[in-house]
């Protein structure tokens, strides 16, 4: 038995048809398991991974696209005590992979423990939808004991310690700056000059232009060459090179969000790894290309514990949503938004749609 309101059998969803092709069509509303909730989506947000799954051939035909969502609970499984039907909740799912999971739809299913309840009177659905892939990635990279393992709020680091974040104006970067500052770290970051004030307003102590030929020496000077950990939110060869170069002579660790490029640095004293947030969902998956990933229970456990803190951080105003570019037209307009992002036109803001 589930607690529920009236829910149709089918819904409109943006479905992956084949490599490079997607369309809005009628799709089955996901069945709710004993530990799941079903959410009527109100707003969804866009990430680079959304268009990349469509174009790369990794996505599975017949699956629903999209990761970031905000909405109201309309059905709960028999083991679920919270959230309740009617609650405003938000979360993250793996799009373009499963027929019964994906954000770009009128309904989305998720395990209850992977959703967080938005405190009344705090954020709109559009704002809350930005707390998905980028937010979770920042929390995993910074706080998971097998990633950077930093001090997690409400605790704070006791001594002055610098953290380098490459790409401070990216979606992941903006959340990482806020979280690191809450943890008491001094953040030095890079961004285009037009975004310097934005990243400072989020808690960065110092910011430099990543295009500056002297960026590494300037970062080392302002931090007294003391950086032991870095988070590269861009993870192309240049950013991987800079992120390794700013680490102190005693060595340290860099966490990337894309695969490590070995030739980006010759340093052997810097541990370089990458994090994939899909592991936090605790569900095995297989790409259309045949690559398989097993479930990682410890990654899910880490994000579940972190999500318990999020309502309090939001209620106290300690975490701000990303700047929003509201894209009109709902589900039918998402392909145009994906193309816009693919063309590199998104900067320091999150595209959000109302469903």
């Amino acid at each position: 038995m589930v607690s529920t309101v009236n829910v149709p059998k089918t819904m409109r969803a943006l479905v992956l048809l084949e490599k490079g092709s997607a369309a809005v069509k009628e799709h089955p509303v996901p069945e709710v398991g004993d530990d799941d909730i079903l959410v009527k989506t109100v707003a969804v947000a866009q990430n680079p991974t959304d268009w990349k799954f469509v174009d790369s051939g990794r996505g599975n035909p017949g699956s629903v696209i999209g990761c970031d969502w905000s909405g109201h609970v309309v059905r709960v499984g028999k083991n679920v005590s919270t959230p309740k039907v009617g609650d405003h909740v938000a979360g993250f799912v793996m799009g373009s992979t499963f027929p019964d999971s994906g954000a770009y739809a009128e309904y989305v299913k998720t395990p209850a423990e992977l959703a967080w309840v938005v405190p009344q009177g705090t954020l709109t659905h559009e704002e809350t939808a930005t707390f998905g892939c980028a937010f979770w990635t920042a929390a995993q990279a910074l706080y998971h004991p097998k990633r950077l393992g930093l001090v997690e709020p409400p605790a704070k680091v006791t001594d002055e310690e610098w953290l380098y974040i490459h790409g401070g104006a990216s979606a992941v970067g903006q959340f990482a700056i806020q979280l690191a500052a809450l943890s008491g770290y001094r953040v030095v970051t890079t961004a285009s000059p037009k975004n310097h004030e934005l990243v400072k307003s989020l808690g960065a102590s110092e910011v430099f232009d990543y295009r500056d030929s002297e960026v590494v020496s300037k970062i080392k000077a302002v931090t007294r060459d003391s950086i032991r950990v870095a988070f590269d939110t861009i993870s192309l060869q240049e950013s991987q090179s800079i992120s390794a170069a700013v680490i102190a002579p005693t060595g340290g660790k860099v966490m990337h969000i894309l695969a490590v490029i070995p030739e980006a640095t010759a340093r052997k004293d810097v541990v370089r790894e990458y994090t994939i947030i899909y592991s936090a969902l605790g569900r095995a998956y297989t790409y259309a290309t045949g690559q398989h990933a097993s479930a990682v229970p410890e990654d899910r456990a880490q994000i579940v514990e972190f999500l318990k803190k999020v309502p309090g951080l939001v209620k106290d105003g300690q975490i701000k949503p990303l700047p929003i570019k509201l894209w009109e037209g709902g589900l039918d307009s998402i392909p145009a938004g994906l193309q816009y992002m693919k063309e590199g036109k998104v900067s320091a803001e999150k595209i959000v749609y109302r469903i």
Side-chain angles (χ1 to χ4, degrees), residues 90-168:
F92 163 77
V93 294
M94 187 174 186
S96 302
T97 307
F98 306 103
D100 67 344
S101 181
Y104 295 166
E106 292 178 316
Y107 294 88
V108 61
K109 179 184 76 170
T110 186
E113 66 179 6
L114 293 177
W116 60 279
V117 178
V118 183
Q120 288 188 351
T122 56
L123 301 177
T124 65
H125 284 282
E126 291 86 348
E127 291 171 328
T128 313
T130 71
F131 283 74
C133 182
F135 184 59
W136 286 38
T137 297
Q140 184 185 70
L142 296 181
Y143 301 128
H144 193 294
K146 290 189 177 179
R147 272 67 167 190
L148 292 180
L150 303 186
V151 173
E152 186 172 333
K156 291 181 179 289
V157 65
T158 53
D159 300 320
E160 178 178 288
E161 186 168 345
W162 285 92
L163 168 69
Y164 175 63
I165 296 175
H166 190 99

XYZ file of all heavy atoms in Angstrom, residues 90-168:
608
model
N 13.150 18.273 -3.321
C 14.052 18.414 -4.459
C 15.078 17.298 -4.420
O 15.301 16.674 -3.371
C 14.748 19.773 -4.437
N 15.704 17.071 -5.567
C 16.711 16.026 -5.603
C 17.387 15.903 -6.952
O 17.308 16.796 -7.801
N 18.026 14.745 -7.123
C 18.850 14.470 -8.296
C 18.659 13.014 -8.689
O 18.629 12.134 -7.814
C 20.319 14.749 -7.936
C 21.337 14.151 -8.866
C 21.592 14.732 -10.102
C 22.049 13.016 -8.510
C 22.532 14.194 -10.959
C 23.000 12.464 -9.357
C 23.241 13.055 -10.588
N 18.491 12.751 -9.978
C 18.400 11.394 -10.483
C 19.331 11.264 -11.687
O 19.844 12.254 -12.200
C 16.950 11.016 -10.889
C 16.042 10.973 -9.667
C 16.410 11.986 -11.948
N 19.543 10.037 -12.132
C 20.400 9.800 -13.295
C 19.542 9.763 -14.551
O 18.778 8.831 -14.756
C 21.180 8.493 -13.131
C 22.218 8.278 -14.216
S 23.229 6.803 -13.895
C 24.445 6.954 -15.224
N 19.660 10.787 -15.369
C 18.897 10.843 -16.593
C 19.510 10.009 -17.706
O 20.649 9.548 -17.624
N 18.732 9.779 -18.737
C 19.174 9.101 -19.967
C 19.698 7.691 -19.733
O 20.485 7.178 -20.523
C 20.254 9.934 -20.669
O 19.783 11.220 -20.980
N 19.242 7.047 -18.663
C 19.766 5.722 -18.316
C 18.667 4.705 -18.062
O 18.769 3.558 -18.491
C 20.675 5.822 -17.078
O 21.670 6.828 -17.303
C 21.368 4.493 -16.795
N 17.594 5.116 -17.355
C 16.529 4.199 -16.961
C 15.170 4.676 -17.478
O 14.892 5.870 -17.458
C 16.456 4.086 -15.434
C 17.742 3.721 -14.772
C 18.507 4.677 -14.110
C 18.205 2.413 -14.803
C 19.689 4.337 -13.481
C 19.390 2.058 -14.181
C 20.135 3.026 -13.525
N 14.301 3.754 -17.866
C 12.949 4.146 -18.274
C 12.132 4.721 -17.120
O 11.222 5.521 -17.335
C 12.324 2.842 -18.780
C 13.467 1.942 -19.076
C 14.545 2.310 -18.095
N 12.451 4.312 -15.873
C 11.655 4.734 -14.717
C 12.320 5.837 -13.907
O 11.951 6.091 -12.762
C 11.366 3.531 -13.812
C 12.622 2.975 -13.142
O 13.747 3.303 -13.592
O 12.479 2.216 -12.166
N 13.323 6.493 -14.488
C 14.005 7.560 -13.754
C 14.498 8.599 -14.740
O 15.062 8.269 -15.779
C 15.187 6.991 -12.959
O 15.839 8.008 -12.234
N 14.308 9.849 -14.413
C 14.702 10.953 -15.271
C 13.873 12.160 -14.902
O 12.672 12.048 -14.612
N 14.487 13.341 -14.893
C 13.835 14.535 -14.359
C 12.945 15.257 -15.355
O 12.016 15.961 -14.964
C 14.894 15.509 -13.826
N 13.236 15.117 -16.656
C 12.492 15.897 -17.644
C 11.168 15.214 -17.971
O 10.946 14.670 -19.051
C 13.329 16.096 -18.901
C 14.570 16.943 -18.679
C 15.580 16.991 -19.629
C 14.731 17.707 -17.522
C 16.715 17.772 -19.455
C 15.865 18.484 -17.321
C 16.857 18.511 -18.285
O 17.980 19.273 -18.097
N 10.291 15.248 -16.989
C 9.008 14.562 -17.081
C 8.027 15.191 -16.102
O 8.424 15.942 -15.204
C 9.184 13.078 -16.756
N 6.756 14.861 -16.266
C 5.751 15.413 -15.360
C 5.814 14.788 -13.974
O 5.374 15.403 -12.994
C 4.369 15.214 -15.969
C 4.150 16.050 -17.215
C 2.798 15.837 -17.853
O 2.366 14.672 -17.970
O 2.166 16.852 -18.241
N 6.385 13.581 -13.887
C 6.567 12.915 -12.597
C 7.970 12.317 -12.543
O 8.493 11.847 -13.557
C 5.535 11.802 -12.394
C 4.110 12.291 -12.278
C 3.332 12.458 -13.424
C 3.545 12.599 -11.044
C 2.024 12.913 -13.333
C 2.240 13.052 -10.951
C 1.487 13.217 -12.091
O 0.206 13.676 -11.990
N 8.545 12.295 -11.347
C 9.851 11.676 -11.166
C 9.811 10.812 -9.911
O 9.214 11.199 -8.898
C 10.980 12.735 -11.067
C 10.781 13.661 -9.879
C 12.351 12.072 -10.997
N 10.426 9.634 -10.000
C 10.523 8.728 -8.854
C 11.923 8.803 -8.278
O 12.911 8.903 -9.017
C 10.237 7.289 -9.293
C 10.348 6.268 -8.162
C 10.144 4.853 -8.660
C 11.361 4.320 -9.392
N 11.268 2.858 -9.678
N 12.010 8.709 -6.944
C 13.318 8.689 -6.298
C 13.203 7.975 -4.955
O 12.135 7.985 -4.337
C 13.844 10.119 -6.063
O 15.190 10.077 -5.565
C 12.999 10.871 -5.062
N 14.276 7.344 -4.483
C 14.266 6.859 -3.104
C 14.023 8.033 -2.154
O 14.605 9.113 -2.331
C 15.667 6.276 -2.929
C 16.096 5.894 -4.311
C 15.526 6.968 -5.188
N 13.192 7.836 -1.168
C 12.821 8.930 -0.264
C 14.031 9.558 0.412
O 14.080 10.774 0.606
C 11.835 8.420 0.787
N 15.015 8.733 0.761
C 16.172 9.266 1.491
C 17.088 10.106 0.613
O 18.001 10.768 1.109
C 16.968 8.132 2.152
C 17.642 7.177 1.179
C 18.425 6.089 1.904
O 18.348 6.027 3.152
O 19.125 5.308 1.224
N 16.836 10.105 -0.698
C 17.646 10.914 -1.607
C 16.930 12.199 -2.037
O 17.363 12.877 -2.972
C 18.039 10.095 -2.844
C 18.991 8.931 -2.573
C 19.258 8.156 -3.852
C 20.306 9.426 -1.967
N 15.871 12.540 -1.339
C 15.184 13.816 -1.537
C 15.287 14.615 -0.240
O 15.379 14.042 0.843
C 13.725 13.595 -1.904
N 15.271 15.921 -0.355
C 15.261 16.758 0.853
C 14.064 17.701 0.806
O 13.630 18.126 -0.249
C 16.566 17.515 1.032
C 16.954 18.458 -0.078
C 17.551 18.127 -1.262
C 16.776 19.879 -0.096
N 17.756 19.264 -2.025
C 17.299 20.337 -1.331
C 16.248 20.798 0.799
C 17.294 21.695 -1.683
C 16.244 22.151 0.448
C 16.763 22.585 -0.776
N 13.504 17.938 1.985
C 12.309 18.771 2.105
C 12.722 20.240 2.171
O 13.545 20.627 3.008
C 11.489 18.385 3.346
C 10.274 19.294 3.485
C 11.049 16.924 3.257
N 12.144 21.043 1.305
C 12.468 22.470 1.238
C 11.659 23.216 2.297
O 10.422 23.133 2.305
C 12.151 23.030 -0.159
C 12.553 24.499 -0.249
C 12.865 22.206 -1.238
N 12.324 23.920 3.214
C 11.586 24.635 4.261
C 10.633 25.672 3.663
O 10.979 26.365 2.698
C 12.703 25.323 5.075
C 13.921 24.500 4.808
C 13.787 24.035 3.389
N 9.449 25.763 4.234
C 8.453 26.702 3.734
C 8.974 28.132 3.809
O 9.654 28.520 4.761
C 7.161 26.586 4.542
C 6.375 25.309 4.260
C 5.013 25.311 4.919
O 4.686 26.174 5.725
N 4.181 24.334 4.580
N 8.653 28.896 2.773
C 9.013 30.312 2.773
C 10.465 30.602 2.461
O 10.931 31.728 2.704
N 11.189 29.606 1.931
C 12.612 29.838 1.650
C 12.884 29.998 0.155
O 13.123 31.101 -0.320
C 13.477 28.704 2.221
O 13.036 27.439 1.702
C 13.411 28.680 3.741
N 12.804 28.909 -0.600
C 13.183 28.928 -2.009
C 12.003 28.601 -2.911
O 11.120 27.825 -2.543
C 14.292 27.909 -2.266
C 15.591 28.064 -1.477
C 16.532 26.913 -1.810
C 16.255 29.406 -1.771
N 12.012 29.163 -4.110
C 11.030 28.805 -5.119
C 11.428 27.462 -5.738
O 12.542 26.970 -5.553
C 10.984 29.857 -6.237
O 12.241 29.853 -6.935
C 10.726 31.249 -5.674
N 10.526 26.882 -6.508
C 10.859 25.635 -7.200
C 11.996 25.851 -8.201
O 12.858 24.980 -8.356
C 9.624 25.079 -7.915
C 8.651 24.426 -6.985
N 8.828 23.157 -6.479
C 7.486 24.882 -6.464
C 7.814 22.844 -5.693
N 6.986 23.865 -5.668
N 11.990 26.998 -8.867
C 13.063 27.277 -9.824
C 14.419 27.333 -9.117
O 15.411 26.786 -9.608
C 12.798 28.602 -10.555
C 11.632 28.558 -11.513
C 10.293 28.853 -10.838
O 10.229 28.878 -9.592
O 9.306 29.047 -11.557
N 14.453 27.980 -7.973
C 15.702 28.065 -7.208
C 16.121 26.693 -6.689
O 17.293 26.308 -6.755
C 15.528 29.042 -6.041
C 15.395 30.487 -6.458
C 15.010 31.397 -5.308
O 14.287 30.948 -4.388
O 15.430 32.567 -5.324
N 15.141 25.948 -6.175
C 15.450 24.644 -5.589
C 15.957 23.667 -6.632
O 16.791 22.804 -6.329
C 14.202 24.067 -4.899
O 13.590 25.066 -4.089
C 14.576 22.895 -4.022
N 15.473 23.782 -7.864
C 15.905 22.872 -8.924
C 17.402 22.984 -9.206
O 17.998 22.055 -9.745
C 15.103 23.130 -10.199
N 18.013 24.108 -8.825
C 19.455 24.265 -9.066
C 20.293 23.432 -8.098
O 21.487 23.249 -8.315
C 19.891 25.745 -8.970
O 19.847 26.204 -7.608
C 19.017 26.634 -9.837
N 19.666 22.904 -7.033
C 20.385 22.122 -6.018
C 20.431 20.646 -6.401
O 20.037 19.780 -5.626
C 19.705 22.263 -4.656
C 19.966 23.548 -3.936
C 19.366 24.732 -4.350
C 20.810 23.593 -2.833
C 19.585 25.920 -3.683
C 21.040 24.778 -2.153
C 20.438 25.946 -2.585
N 20.903 20.346 -7.590
C 20.939 18.968 -8.048
C 22.342 18.479 -8.315
O 23.172 18.410 -7.407
N 22.607 18.134 -9.560
C 23.879 17.530 -9.946
C 25.087 18.312 -9.438
O 26.012 17.745 -8.856
C 23.925 17.425 -11.472
S 25.404 16.648 -12.138
N 25.095 19.629 -9.645
C 26.247 20.451 -9.249
C 26.425 20.468 -7.733
O 27.542 20.349 -7.221
C 26.072 21.874 -9.771
N 25.321 20.621 -7.017
C 25.364 20.687 -5.551
C 25.851 19.367 -4.966
O 26.732 19.333 -4.103
C 23.968 21.033 -5.039
C 23.881 21.217 -3.551
C 24.629 22.173 -2.902
C 23.011 20.436 -2.792
C 24.540 22.367 -1.525
C 22.906 20.613 -1.429
C 23.676 21.578 -0.797
N 25.272 18.271 -5.445
C 25.670 16.952 -4.958
C 27.142 16.675 -5.288
O 27.874 16.102 -4.464
C 24.805 15.878 -5.593
C 23.405 15.775 -5.081
C 22.577 16.801 -4.726
C 22.661 14.573 -4.902
N 21.359 16.299 -4.343
C 21.388 14.944 -4.438
C 22.949 13.232 -5.100
C 20.400 14.006 -4.163
C 21.969 12.291 -4.836
C 20.697 12.681 -4.357
N 27.573 17.060 -6.480
C 28.965 16.826 -6.875
C 29.924 17.564 -5.946
O 30.949 17.010 -5.523
C 29.193 17.269 -8.328
O 28.382 16.477 -9.196
C 30.643 17.103 -8.734
N 29.597 18.802 -5.626
C 30.440 19.566 -4.714
C 30.509 18.896 -3.346
O 31.588 18.767 -2.752
C 29.910 20.992 -4.587
N 29.356 18.442 -2.835
C 29.327 17.804 -1.520
C 30.112 16.497 -1.518
O 30.805 16.178 -0.547
C 27.879 17.551 -1.103
N 30.000 15.720 -2.594
C 30.732 14.461 -2.666
C 32.233 14.697 -2.768
O 33.031 14.077 -2.054
C 30.257 13.637 -3.858
C 30.899 12.257 -3.944
C 30.508 11.504 -5.200
O 30.912 11.859 -6.301
N 29.696 10.459 -5.047
N 32.628 15.602 -3.653
C 34.058 15.846 -3.870
C 34.739 16.419 -2.630
O 35.852 16.008 -2.276
C 34.254 16.795 -5.051
N 34.061 17.334 -1.954
C 34.679 17.988 -0.794
C 34.689 17.110 0.451
O 35.682 17.064 1.177
C 33.951 19.297 -0.477
C 33.999 20.411 -1.523
C 33.242 21.625 -1.010
C 35.427 20.790 -1.881
N 33.588 16.382 0.707
C 33.411 15.778 2.022
C 33.510 14.264 2.091
O 33.731 13.720 3.178
C 32.066 16.221 2.604
C 31.946 17.720 2.744
C 30.858 18.407 2.221
C 32.942 18.455 3.381
C 30.756 19.788 2.344
C 32.844 19.836 3.509
C 31.755 20.500 2.981
O 31.670 21.856 3.100
N 33.344 13.580 0.987
C 33.452 12.123 1.043
C 34.860 11.753 1.522
O 35.862 12.282 1.027
C 33.190 11.524 -0.334
C 32.983 10.041 -0.324
N 33.976 9.148 0.017
C 31.883 9.284 -0.616
C 33.509 7.917 -0.072
N 32.246 7.967 -0.442
N 34.970 10.847 2.500
C 36.303 10.517 3.052
C 37.275 9.949 2.025
O 38.484 10.031 2.224
C 35.988 9.500 4.157
C 34.603 9.019 3.884
C 33.886 10.135 3.203
N 36.746 9.400 0.917
C 37.638 8.871 -0.116
C 37.845 9.857 -1.266
O 38.490 9.523 -2.257
C 37.107 7.539 -0.635
C 37.211 6.422 0.391
C 36.881 5.070 -0.203
C 37.071 3.961 0.825
N 36.731 2.627 0.267
N 37.276 11.057 -1.137
C 37.572 12.130 -2.095
C 38.519 13.104 -1.390
O 39.593 12.699 -0.998
C 36.288 12.784 -2.582
C 35.660 12.091 -3.815
C 35.134 10.718 -3.542
N 34.298 10.219 -4.631
C 33.577 9.116 -4.545
N 33.549 8.401 -3.418
N 32.868 8.696 -5.584
N 38.110 14.346 -1.143
C 39.021 15.267 -0.460
C 38.933 15.158 1.060
O 39.861 15.539 1.763
C 38.742 16.713 -0.902
C 39.096 17.025 -2.363
C 38.770 18.481 -2.684
C 40.560 16.727 -2.661
N 37.816 14.648 1.575
C 37.688 14.402 3.008
C 37.836 15.635 3.876
O 38.429 15.575 4.959
N 37.280 16.759 3.441
C 37.401 18.004 4.201
C 36.467 18.020 5.408
O 35.555 17.205 5.520
C 37.088 19.203 3.296
C 37.943 19.350 2.036
C 37.604 20.669 1.337
C 39.436 19.291 2.360
N 36.699 18.960 6.287
C 35.840 19.160 7.451
C 34.463 19.606 6.962
O 34.342 20.507 6.132
C 36.446 20.213 8.396
C 35.469 20.553 9.524
C 37.774 19.723 8.951
N 33.412 18.956 7.471
C 32.061 19.175 6.956
C 31.244 20.037 7.910
O 31.267 19.832 9.122
C 31.385 17.812 6.762
C 30.034 17.866 6.108
C 29.502 16.479 5.777
O 30.319 15.555 5.568
O 28.264 16.316 5.727
N 30.498 21.023 7.378
C 29.668 21.838 8.269
C 28.606 20.989 8.959
O 28.169 19.981 8.403
C 29.030 22.856 7.305
C 29.140 22.261 5.945
C 30.356 21.383 5.976
N 28.240 21.349 10.213
C 28.537 22.634 10.856
C 29.927 22.738 11.475
O 30.274 23.790 12.003
C 27.459 22.725 11.937
C 27.193 21.300 12.297
C 27.302 20.538 11.006
N 30.728 21.682 11.440
C 32.102 21.782 11.940
C 32.916 22.707 11.029
O 32.586 22.899 9.859
C 32.744 20.402 11.999
N 33.972 23.273 11.587
C 34.852 24.161 10.824
C 36.306 23.775 11.050
O 36.675 23.292 12.125
C 34.661 25.633 11.245
C 33.330 26.251 10.846
C 33.271 27.702 11.282
C 31.952 28.358 10.885
N 31.874 28.577 9.435
N 37.120 23.983 10.028
C 38.549 23.743 10.156
C 39.109 24.725 11.182
O 38.688 25.887 11.249
C 39.245 23.883 8.780
C 39.171 25.304 8.251
C 40.666 23.380 8.840
N 40.019 24.273 12.012
C 40.475 25.106 13.133
C 41.605 26.065 12.766
O 41.686 27.170 13.289
C 40.933 24.211 14.304
O 41.895 23.268 13.819
C 39.746 23.471 14.896
N 42.478 25.658 11.862
C 43.590 26.516 11.464
C 43.316 27.125 10.093
O 42.439 26.673 9.360
C 44.897 25.710 11.401
C 45.252 25.100 12.750
O 45.057 25.785 13.775
O 45.701 23.937 12.760
N 44.093 28.155 9.723
C 43.951 28.721 8.387
C 44.402 27.689 7.361
O 45.532 27.213 7.415
C 44.779 29.994 8.229
C 44.670 30.570 6.815
C 45.432 31.858 6.640
O 45.003 32.888 7.176
O 46.480 31.840 5.952
N 43.513 27.346 6.465
C 43.854 26.380 5.434
C 43.220 26.801 4.119
O 42.022 27.087 4.059
C 43.379 24.976 5.822
C 43.841 23.908 4.848
C 43.641 22.493 5.368
O 43.402 22.331 6.578
O 43.732 21.563 4.551
N 44.023 26.841 3.071
C 43.557 27.263 1.759
C 43.079 26.073 0.939
O 43.659 24.991 0.986
C 44.674 27.970 0.996
C 44.962 29.360 1.481
C 45.881 29.728 2.429
C 44.330 30.573 1.041
N 45.858 31.093 2.609
C 44.917 31.637 1.771
C 43.331 30.854 0.113
C 44.538 32.968 1.587
C 42.946 32.184 -0.078
C 43.541 33.218 0.658
N 42.023 26.311 0.188
C 41.512 25.335 -0.779
C 41.453 26.026 -2.131
O 40.923 27.143 -2.236
C 40.114 24.861 -0.378
C 39.336 24.064 -1.434
C 39.966 22.698 -1.666
C 37.866 23.918 -1.024
N 42.003 25.378 -3.164
C 41.916 25.928 -4.508
C 40.738 25.299 -5.242
O 40.617 24.066 -5.289
C 43.199 25.670 -5.304
C 43.104 26.121 -6.743
C 42.926 27.465 -7.048
C 43.162 25.210 -7.797
C 42.816 27.891 -8.366
C 43.062 25.620 -9.112
C 42.890 26.965 -9.396
O 42.783 27.382 -10.705
N 39.867 26.136 -5.818
C 38.752 25.672 -6.632
C 38.906 26.270 -8.020
O 38.840 27.496 -8.183
C 37.397 26.066 -6.021
C 37.204 25.379 -4.663
C 36.246 25.706 -6.971
C 35.950 25.809 -3.920
N 39.139 25.416 -9.000
C 39.263 25.906 -10.377
C 37.875 25.966 -11.010
O 37.134 24.997 -10.988
C 40.155 24.979 -11.210
C 40.497 25.571 -12.541
N 41.693 26.197 -12.789
C 39.777 25.669 -13.700
C 41.704 26.642 -14.035
N 40.543 26.331 -14.594
N 37.524 27.136 -11.545
C 36.206 27.310 -12.147
C 35.162 27.717 -11.135
O 34.119 27.078 -11.011
N 35.418 28.785 -10.407
C 34.528 29.187 -9.324
C 33.148 29.635 -9.758
O 32.201 29.587 -8.980
